[in-house]
Amino acid sequence: MQIGDWAVLLAAAAAAGWVDAVVGGGGLIILPTLLLVVPGITPQTALGTNKLTSLAGTSTAVATFARKVPMQWKVLLPGAVIAAITSACGAAAVSLIDRELFIPLVMVVLVAVAVFVTLRPSVGLTMATHPPTRRKVILVVALAAGLVGFYDGLLGPGTGTFLIITFATLLGTEFVRAAAMAKVINCGSNLGGLLFLAVTGHVLWGLGAGMAVANVLGALVGSRMALARGAGFVRIVLLVVVVVMVIRLGWQQFG
């Protein structure tokens, strides 16, 4: 690759790290860029290289959020393990599922998310008056980790977004805390998908490591901005990212 190609990839990785740290959806930046810039790369290798890049960024975001946001590690760490397992299963199931039907379903869900957040402006802006029971937190985290983790291994775009919406809606968690929780689960799903794709030989380690550095820098900036500007900022970015994801997936499917 030429120097210009590296510049494009590093810029994309940094932008994806910022977006991922705030609301998720960075894969929509990295994956198309890899497929466009790297000659002959297969979709599976692009996905594996993206997992390596994203794992570095999400890990950095977790460390940054954890300094300021209370984390229920006894619930979130097992959730991350569940996400790792189901993400590996999702990556293994890619060839068994008709993605032509799956993508429109994801688009419908994303549109529903955008409508819900728009019509319920209070969701995610404040903590619930009555905190959920520990049993409910465990159940929601486990189910979200299992289902969204599988989706991350299978397709990927918007994993963090789905997790944030789930935690904000079902647990009454404000967006910044929901984003912090989502990053822990997302770390697990990235690791599980990466391990499966690495074993099957679908990771460009040198390229992924270089992009990981840029992704970490973007994640540092994004997580600090989310902490500094609060839930209202995260809500706006979430809506913008969801709209972009719908347009991008629609173009991919029907364009």
Side-chain angles (χ1 to χ4, degrees):
M1 293 189 301
Q2 304 297 317
I3 294 179
D5 296 331
W6 271 101
V8 170
L9 289 170
L10 293 177
W18 188 92
V19 171
D20 257 338
V22 180
V23 293
L28 283 173
I29 299 173
I30 293 181
L31 287 173
T33 306
L34 281 168
L35 292 169
L36 180 67
V37 173
V38 182
I41 192 172
T42 65
Q44 292 91 340
T45 303
L47 183 61
T49 305
N50 173 57
K51 291 297 181 191
L52 174 59
T53 302
S54 298
L55 178 60
T58 51
S59 299
T60 301
V62 168
T64 304
F65 277 122
R67 296 191 188 101
K68 300 290 185 179
V69 178
M71 306 284 263
Q72 299 184 51
W73 294 112
K74 291 183 179 180
V75 177
L76 292 173
L77 291 179
V81 173
I82 293 172
I85 295 170
T86 57
S87 178
C89 293
V94 167
S95 62
L96 304 177
I97 295 178
D98 188 350
R99 292 159 69 90
E100 296 298 316
L101 297 177
F102 194 70
I103 291 178
L105 176 61
V106 173
M107 292 173 62
V108 171
V109 174
L110 286 170
V111 170
V113 166
V115 172
F116 179 80
V117 174
T118 301
L119 296 180
R120 296 284 299 276
S122 62
V123 171
L125 296 186
T126 58
M127 292 291 290
T129 306
H130 303 289
T133 64
R134 181 175 177 81
R135 179 177 296 181
K136 182 177 181 179
V137 173
I138 292 172
L139 179 61
V140 170
V141 170
L143 287 175
L147 295 175
V148 181
F150 182 82
Y151 165 76
D152 192 22
L154 184 70
L155 191 64
T159 296
T161 307
F162 289 135
L163 289 169
I164 290 171
I165 288 296
T166 299
F167 296 148
T169 303
L170 299 184
L171 298 180
T173 307
E174 52 91 18
F175 280 135
V176 174
R177 183 170 297 188
M181 295 171 64
K183 290 304 103 184
V184 178
I185 305 302
N186 204 179
C187 271
S189 64
N190 278 331
L191 179 59
L194 173 62
L195 290 175
F196 177 85
L197 292 164
V199 169
T200 54
H202 291 298
V203 179
L204 298 177
W205 294 100
L207 176 60
M211 294 176 66
V213 174
N215 196 258
V216 165
L217 295 176
L220 278 172
V221 175
S223 53
R224 288 175 179 176
M225 286 183 69
L227 287 168
R229 300 195 178 188
F233 169 72
V234 175
R235 179 178 184 273
I236 293 172
V237 176
L238 185 147
L239 284 171
V240 171
V241 169
V242 166
V243 170
V244 172
M245 281 194 287
V246 171
I247 294 172
R248 175 67 182 85
L249 290 172
W251 180 266
Q252 176 183 332
Q253 182 74 7
F254 307 111

